[in-house]
Amino acid sequence: MNPSVAEIALMYVLPLGITFITILQSASAEYRYQKLTGALFSFLIVVMDCLFYFTKNSFISYNTDGGLLLAFASMFFFGLLYVVRSYDRAEKCANIMFSIFMLAAFVGIAYWERPTLLVASDFTPEEIAAQNAKYQDYIESFQNGGNGGTWKSAPRAVKSSNGTVVNMPGEKPIMSSAAKGRLDRYIDETNKVIARMHEIMAAIDSYEPIAPSISDAEREQRGSQALAINNNATALNKKALGLFHPHESSEAHSELIQATESLRLAAYSLYTYSLQEDTEEQMNQYKQSRSQIAQTKIYLERFRNDIQNLISNYQPQQEEN
């Protein structure tokens, strides 16, 4: 399935579909207490939807795991609704078990090694990169289960003097066409992220210093402008956190995460600068923003070097004559 189609299905179609079904089932209940209970559960599901879709750029990472988390939570309340509407004991027990399984799925996703509910301010970029590395190690354990999850170089096919082909130990790891395709898609996505990073950095660079004699209306306008930059940087940081990357690019991806995190801090310092009235504190925040921009460029350069080394090291080896 196309990743974009899967994201739309898991992020929007599935959770919102369950929401509408729950509301309709509540409205069609036979008794008044069932309608009231269904209305309560429907309200809780709508509240969860609003929290997810309107706060995903603050403490909820933007990925399809989040859509699954929301869907399982909605199905939990949907199962409780049918517990209330059930009359037969066996049917009631079945709906109770269904709700328990949905709750277990919700908890399982929420406490995954790469958690969906992520308070970014509680983690350093290094800790977030370590979590992503654990997640990729888990994926690799399936891909290379026979050798304990460690990457081994593929053998080289070499022709001997008598014309027979023998397998020699590979000096460089050979990337399969599927792995190469995943890496190419990852690079395409990171190019979009980097392009947005340059746009945000340009917006920060073009943000003119605030004069001491500025009026309240002008200060509010400049604050709104800085807030928009900060929101864009925060959203981009969450996108980088939720960006799936091949295991081979884990080291490079950690540099990209640190770059977006530094850019987020730079935008936040700029927003704090726009709110400050004390001249000395304004200057400190402005300098801090410029320092974070410089750090962002360093991490971006490291990312480019890692990707370039990755591409050159994993070139398919030609058969020797």
Side-chain angles (χ1 to χ4, degrees):
M1 180 181 289
N2 187 289
S4 299
V5 176
E7 182 174 338
I8 292 174
L10 295 176
M11 287 286 297
Y12 298 101
V13 177
L14 179 61
L16 295 179
I18 297 173
T19 301
F20 288 122
I21 291 173
T22 306
I23 295 174
L24 292 175
Q25 291 290 346
S26 303
S28 64
E30 183 178 359
Y31 297 105
R32 185 171 180 270
Y33 78 93
Q34 293 176 342
K35 291 181 182 292
L36 292 176
T37 304
L40 174 62
F41 291 151
S42 300
F43 175 75
L44 292 176
I45 293 176
V46 171
V47 168
M48 288 192 306
D49 291 345
C50 293
L51 286 175
F52 178 76
Y53 291 113
F54 294 109
T55 64
K56 62 177 178 287
N57 289 337
S58 58
F59 63 88
I60 298 177
S61 65
Y62 184 86
N63 52 36
T64 52
D65 286 347
L68 289 176
L69 185 77
L70 183 61
F72 280 122
S74 301
M75 291 296 288
F76 168 70
F77 288 110
F78 185 74
L80 291 182
L81 172 62
Y82 268 86
V83 171
V84 176
R85 295 187 59 175
S86 301
Y87 300 103
D88 184 73
R89 179 174 298 179
E91 184 181 2
K92 191 178 290 289
C93 291
N95 289 321
I96 291 175
M97 292 180 64
F98 176 80
S99 297
I100 292 174
F101 290 145
M102 294 301 103
L103 181 62
F106 170 82
V107 174
I109 294 178
Y111 288 93
W112 186 248
E113 284 282 357
R114 187 187 188 191
T116 299
L117 297 177
L118 186 65
V119 183
S121 59
D122 291 348
F123 297 91
T124 64
E126 291 79 9
E127 291 173 336
I128 295 175
Q131 287 180 344
N132 281 332
K134 289 182 181 180
Y135 182 78
Q136 290 303 321
D137 289 339
Y138 176 79
I139 297 297
E140 188 191 16
S141 67
F142 288 95
Q143 297 173 343
N144 304 305
N147 54 34
T150 57
W151 183 272
K152 291 186 177 180
S153 301
R156 289 187 296 140
V158 180
K159 283 186 178 180
S160 62
S161 57
N162 58 5
T164 60
V165 178
V166 295
N167 289 328
M168 301 295 292
E171 297 176 355
K172 293 183 179 181
I174 298 177
M175 183 177 293
S176 65
S177 58
K180 185 66 165 58
R182 288 193 296 269
L183 180 62
D184 289 340
R185 287 193 295 271
Y186 170 72
I187 293 175
D188 290 340
E189 290 297 322
T190 56
N191 287 336
K192 298 176 184 177
V193 171
I194 293 174
R196 288 184 58 188
M197 289 181 66
H198 284 300
E199 292 176 0
I200 295 173
M201 285 191 288
I204 295 177
D205 291 337
S206 62
Y207 191 89
E208 298 180 357
I210 299 176
S213 59
I214 191 172
S215 64
D216 292 340
E218 291 175 332
R219 182 178 296 277
E220 183 177 355
Q221 182 181 1
R222 299 299 302 280
S224 299
Q225 181 183 357
L227 179 60
I229 297 174
N230 178 66
N231 289 341
N232 289 334
T234 302
L236 187 62
N237 180 231
K238 297 299 181 295
K239 180 177 177 62
L241 290 175
L243 193 64
F244 182 81
H245 60 279
H247 177 76
E248 296 83 5
S249 62
S250 295
E251 184 176 349
H253 189 66
S254 66
E255 300 291 350
L256 181 65
I257 290 177
Q258 293 184 72
T260 57
E261 177 66 15
S262 297
L263 183 60
R264 184 189 69 83
L265 294 175
Y268 181 76
S269 297
L270 183 69
Y271 176 57
T272 306
Y273 161 77
S274 68
L275 299 179
Q276 290 290 336
E277 297 183 1
D278 182 72
T279 305
E280 182 177 357
E281 185 61 27
Q282 270 190 335
M283 186 59 63
N284 291 336
Q285 292 295 332
Y286 187 79
K287 289 180 178 179
Q288 186 172 349
S289 178
R290 303 309 307 170
S291 175
Q292 291 293 344
I293 287 293
Q295 194 67 31
T296 299
K297 294 178 179 178
I298 293 175
Y299 285 130
L300 272 181
E301 187 63 28
R302 291 179 182 175
F303 170 78
R304 292 192 183 96
N305 291 336
D306 289 344
I307 290 294
Q308 197 63 37
N309 292 335
L310 184 63
I311 294 175
S312 60
N313 290 337
Y314 281 87
Q315 290 291 339
Q317 297 179 0
Q318 300 294 329
E319 184 176 345
E320 295 183 3
N321 294 321

